[in-house]
Amino acid sequence: MELFYQYIIVFITAIFVNNVVLSQILGICPFLGVSKKVDTALGMSAAVAFVLVLATLVTFVLQKYVLDPNDLGYLQTIAFILVIAALVQMVEIILKKVSPALYQALGVFLPLITTNCAVLGVAILVIQKDFDLLMGVWYALSTALGFGLALTIFAGIREQLSMMPIPKGMQGMSIALVTAGLLAMAFMGFSGVDNGLKLLFQVG
């Protein structure tokens, strides 16, 4: 039962308390670049979720069965980047065949997943937190949902802002950055929820 509670805590913490974008400031490029429309934001969220979970799975195996046994830990970053880049190419090929409309909509932003520090950051955090494989994949999935939630909410707000009479000096990226800051402050309201859950479930 304690393990079940740990999964719940990791899930809620990754989405709300330590949101990968709004709290850890990772994945800002797609967050700002693909957040003008909700449809595009949802597509990017799905692509990032797929790459994030798959990358975490592959990099975990790579770290535990290749890098660590051969004392090649210093190659972690470059090895993880190469794995992520290969996975992004796979997603790009799949999207091009399965959903050409979504592929066209994402356009130049799809390759941004290669340099999306959220993907690399989560892969490294799974190793640093010493999660096992199942918990690592669960953490990656939860983080991806948190990324998608933040991106979709932000896109919805930006769609509404595009219909508002915004002063010229605040149009474009200026109002987007202010909105992102306010959204991050809103998510700060979840601070301490993880500690409250630990006390409630009596999980260490």
Side-chain angles (χ1 to χ4, degrees):
M1 186 62 70
E2 182 176 339
L3 183 61
F4 174 72
Y5 291 151
Q6 287 177 346
Y7 275 87
I8 293 177
I9 292 171
V10 166
F11 180 75
I12 294 176
T13 302
I15 294 177
F16 299 106
V17 182
N18 292 324
N19 186 278
V20 68
V21 179
L22 301 175
S23 178
Q24 302 187 64
I25 322 297
L26 297 172
I28 295 298
C29 293
F31 182 70
L32 294 175
V34 198
S35 57
K36 292 182 180 180
K37 295 183 179 181
V38 172
D39 291 343
T40 308
L42 289 172
M44 176 57 79
S45 299
V48 169
F50 177 77
V51 173
L52 194 56
V53 172
L54 195 55
T56 299
L57 178 62
V58 176
T59 53
F60 182 92
V61 173
L62 178 66
Q63 180 76 36
K64 297 298 182 181
Y65 297 101
V66 178
L67 299 182
D68 286 347
N70 296 291
D71 294 325
L72 298 173
Y74 59 91
L75 292 176
Q76 181 190 71
T77 302
I78 186 64
F80 283 14
I81 289 174
L82 290 174
V83 168
I84 292 167
L87 291 174
V88 170
Q89 291 300 314
M90 183 190 305
V91 172
E92 191 169 0
I93 292 170
I94 292 172
L95 279 182
K96 194 171 184 179
K97 292 183 177 295
V98 174
S99 180
L102 179 57
Y103 176 79
Q104 291 295 328
L106 293 176
V108 70
F109 297 110
L110 186 58
L112 279 177
I113 301 178
T114 306
T115 55
N116 185 347
C117 50
V119 180
L120 177 61
V122 169
I124 293 176
L125 281 172
V126 166
I127 303 301
Q128 291 180 345
K129 291 176 181 291
D130 200 27
F131 287 147
D132 57 31
L133 181 58
L134 189 58
M135 182 65 85
V137 171
W138 178 248
Y139 173 73
L141 178 61
S142 304
T143 302
L145 292 175
F147 175 85
L149 177 65
L151 185 60
T152 305
I153 292 174
F154 189 50
I157 295 174
R158 291 188 72 178
E159 279 192 355
Q160 294 298 314
L161 287 174
S162 66
M163 298 183 286
M164 299 295 174
I166 298 172
K168 188 175 181 180
M170 287 295 293
Q171 291 177 4
M173 192 55 66
S174 299
I175 190 66
L177 290 172
V178 171
T179 304
L182 292 173
L183 188 58
M185 290 176 65
F187 267 68
M188 286 177 64
F190 294 107
S191 298
V193 171
D194 53 336
N195 292 327
L197 289 173
K198 288 178 181 178
L199 288 174
L200 178 64
F201 298 144
Q202 294 296 311
V203 176

